[in-house]
Amino acid sequence: MRALPDTDPRSLTVQANIHCSFCNGGYLQAGVNGNIPLQVHFSWLFLPWHRWYLYFHERILGSLIGDPGFSLLYWNWDDQVYGGNEIPELFTRVNTSLYDAKRRAEVQPPTIVPLAATTLPNMSASIVTNQNLNNMYQSVVTASTASLFMGGALRAGVDLSNVTVLNNTLGGSLENGLHTAIHYYVGDPTTQLLQNMGNFGTAARDPLFYSHHSNVDRLWEVWRLNMPDGERADHTDPDFLNAEFVFYDENANMVRVKVSDVLDNQKLGVYYKKGRSDHVWINYSPPASTNESAVPVALSGGVPLVGESPLNGTISIGTNFSAIVKRPSEEKPSKTLEVLTIQGVQVARDQFVALVAFVNIPWATENTTTDSAEYLGTFNIVPDPAKSSLNTNVKYEIGDNLKRIGLEKEAEVVISLVVTGSNATVTIQGLKIDYEDQ
């Protein structure tokens, strides 16, 4: 791929540019009025588009080396037992085709790669491991609906670069949290915009990108088939199933594909063995660091009561912000989840930003540990200076956390938000806790 001319659709340059174009508005949506860019991140398109992308990338590689049985390797960074949480050694050999000089020096082997932006790579292995396990648990196990895990709807005619509708759920927990954390930590902070892995425009230039996304794809299968609550369902909306993309195949021909044809991996000839350590994070039981409601302490400390938008105006959260939020007054219906929505998150995209959420820890900071039940998750935003800002909602299942802490019967809870990774100004429009169907 590296040796092919840049005019060949099978070259690594073109393959990387395909990702750049689909992910940075290089193509316009077909069949709608106006010049509305297509973006395959931040919505339900994220997982199926990248699965198709990997499928054709793998076929091209197999064709080039004359091996139709060739398979991409997945980098199992979720494995905290057998060493998968380090950058694989074969990608670190200098002057080989899998090496990329633009990677963060601090997370080269044997450093454990963190899965949350507040976890520093130089912390002790046990601390990083426990925080990684909880990030896996919160991002995959408790995000049991397609909307929470895969992301919300993106329909024809919607311009994600100008989204202002507060009920528009965008990226899911796998994309926003774990996936983007890997991009952040592998990207080189000494380069502009964390190249190569640290931004959409250059990420696919690094061969490690494809093994990273192969594991993202594997985790989609794990989420769907191997969770304790049984098989989970993908989106079934026709707008999701009928979405189409165009790729180059192994013969450099342009082909059109649909989301509905990529949902069953085995039809593509793709199979994943059960991970040896999957059970460790699937069955992880995050301990509570608190044992009573923090609302009285927060009230005495002047923490405000914040409701749903538009009652609050625009709230600037600085480096950290705490609020008291009412829970639903009615009894929780069966087959529903209790979900926190951080409404109207807005942030400039000129640098990497992470928004970390906690419950029952007033005045949480970037030093607050993420290995406990009080940690809800992280929303990571990769830099893209071509887009002035991102305006979205962020959702977390919160019922499991409240049960572990012992707050199921409380009428109000304390929600804390921490901004890390930059000095960016992050604003929100409201905080809402409600029930959503499973």
Side-chain angles (χ1 to χ4, degrees), residues 13-123:
T13 297
V14 173
Q15 289 289 296
N17 288 344
I18 288 172
H19 181 265
C20 173
S21 296
F22 269 103
C23 302
N24 278 336
Y27 299 117
L28 300 179
Q29 294 182 25
V32 299
N33 294 325
N35 294 327
I36 300 177
L38 175 63
Q39 166 61 267
V40 296
H41 286 81
F42 310 126
S43 78
W44 60 15
L45 297 182
F46 169 75
L47 287 171
W49 184 90
H50 282 84
R51 177 172 285 179
W52 272 125
Y53 182 54
L54 293 173
Y55 172 77
F56 287 111
H57 189 83
E58 183 176 85
R59 288 176 67 92
I60 290 169
L61 281 167
S63 175
L64 289 173
I65 64 174
D67 180 5
F70 169 81
S71 294
L72 287 169
L73 299 177
Y74 64 83
W75 170 25
N76 56 333
W77 36 257
D78 57 292
D79 166 30
Q80 307 301 311
V81 179
Y82 300 106
N85 51 5
E86 300 176 10
I87 293 179
E89 186 270 336
L90 76 164
F91 287 93
T92 66
R93 300 170 190 166
V94 180
N95 298 324
T96 65
S97 62
L98 297 181
Y99 180 74
D100 192 313
K102 293 182 178 179
R103 293 181 187 149
R104 186 185 296 264
E106 293 87 346
V107 293
Q108 299 302 308
T111 302
I112 296 175
V113 178
L115 298 181
T118 55
T119 306
L120 300 176
N122 59 1
M123 301 175 81

Side-chain angles (χ1 to χ4, degrees), residues 158-423:
V158 174
D159 183 354
L160 286 184
S161 63
N162 291 301
V163 166
T164 57
V165 181
L166 288 178
N167 63 2
N168 190 31
T169 307
L170 295 183
S173 60
L174 179 59
E175 176 189 358
N176 292 344
L178 302 167
H179 151 265
T180 307
I182 293 293
H183 278 281
Y184 166 66
Y185 275 114
V186 175
D188 184 355
T190 68
T191 65
Q192 185 180 21
L193 303 180
L194 299 172
Q195 296 178 49
N196 275 325
M197 274 279 281
N199 74 79
F200 295 154
T202 60
R205 297 177 186 176
D206 186 341
L208 188 59
F209 168 93
Y210 302 93
S211 287
H212 163 46
H213 268 275
S214 293
N215 197 51
V216 171
D217 189 70
R218 183 186 74 87
L219 290 173
W220 181 11
E221 288 287 278
V222 175
W223 172 84
R224 193 168 65 87
L225 300 173
N226 296 329
M227 291 294 102
D229 55 351
E231 185 171 343
R232 294 174 173 178
D234 296 327
H235 290 285
T236 57
D237 190 301
D239 281 356
F240 172 73
L241 298 175
N242 294 325
E244 294 182 329
F245 313 113
V246 175
F247 290 97
Y248 292 108
D249 68 10
E250 65 272 23
N251 299 313
N253 295 321
M254 194 174 287
V255 293
R256 186 180 300 274
V257 296
K258 296 177 68 172
V259 165
S260 58
D261 293 327
V262 81
L263 299 181
D264 185 348
N265 236 338
Q266 295 189 11
K267 290 183 178 179
L268 304 180
V270 177
Y271 302 85
Y272 293 110
K273 286 185 177 180
K274 188 172 182 179
R276 289 191 297 167
S277 66
D278 287 356
H279 68 282
V280 179
W281 58 261
I282 289 174
N283 298 309
Y284 185 70
S285 182
S289 62
T290 59
N291 56 18
E292 61 182 4
S293 172
V295 170
V297 173
L299 280 172
S300 65
V303 171
L305 178 67
V306 172
E308 62 182 286
S309 176
L311 302 175
N312 318 282
T314 298
I315 302 170
S316 179
I317 63 177
T319 56
N320 60 328
F321 174 78
S322 294
I324 298 170
V325 183
K326 291 185 178 296
R327 295 176 65 206
S329 57
E330 67 273 19
E331 185 176 348
K332 180 178 176 295
S334 61
K335 296 184 179 180
T336 62
L337 299 175
E338 189 168 356
V339 176
L340 166 71
T341 302
I342 308 170
Q343 297 177 310
V345 177
Q346 186 162 11
V347 58
R349 293 188 61 194
D350 58 347
Q351 54 189 305
F352 176 85
V353 183
L355 181 63
V356 189
F358 298 91
V359 62
N360 209 47
I361 303 182
W363 311 289
T365 71
E366 64 179 357
N367 296 319
T368 302
T369 183
T370 60
D371 61 358
S372 72
E374 286 76 9
Y375 170 69
L376 299 176
T378 301
F379 177 57
N380 298 301
I381 303 102
V382 296
D384 181 3
K387 307 296 184 295
S388 58
S389 65
L390 179 71
N391 192 331
T392 183
N393 283 352
V394 179
K395 291 192 174 187
Y396 296 111
E397 196 280 335
I398 194 174
D400 182 78
N401 306 77
L402 298 180
K403 182 178 180 181
R404 291 178 181 278
I405 303 169
L407 303 180
E408 307 104 301
K409 299 182 186 286
E410 298 295 326
E412 300 171 329
V413 294
V414 178
I415 300 296
S416 295
L417 306 176
V418 177
V419 176
T420 187
S422 77
N423 57 0

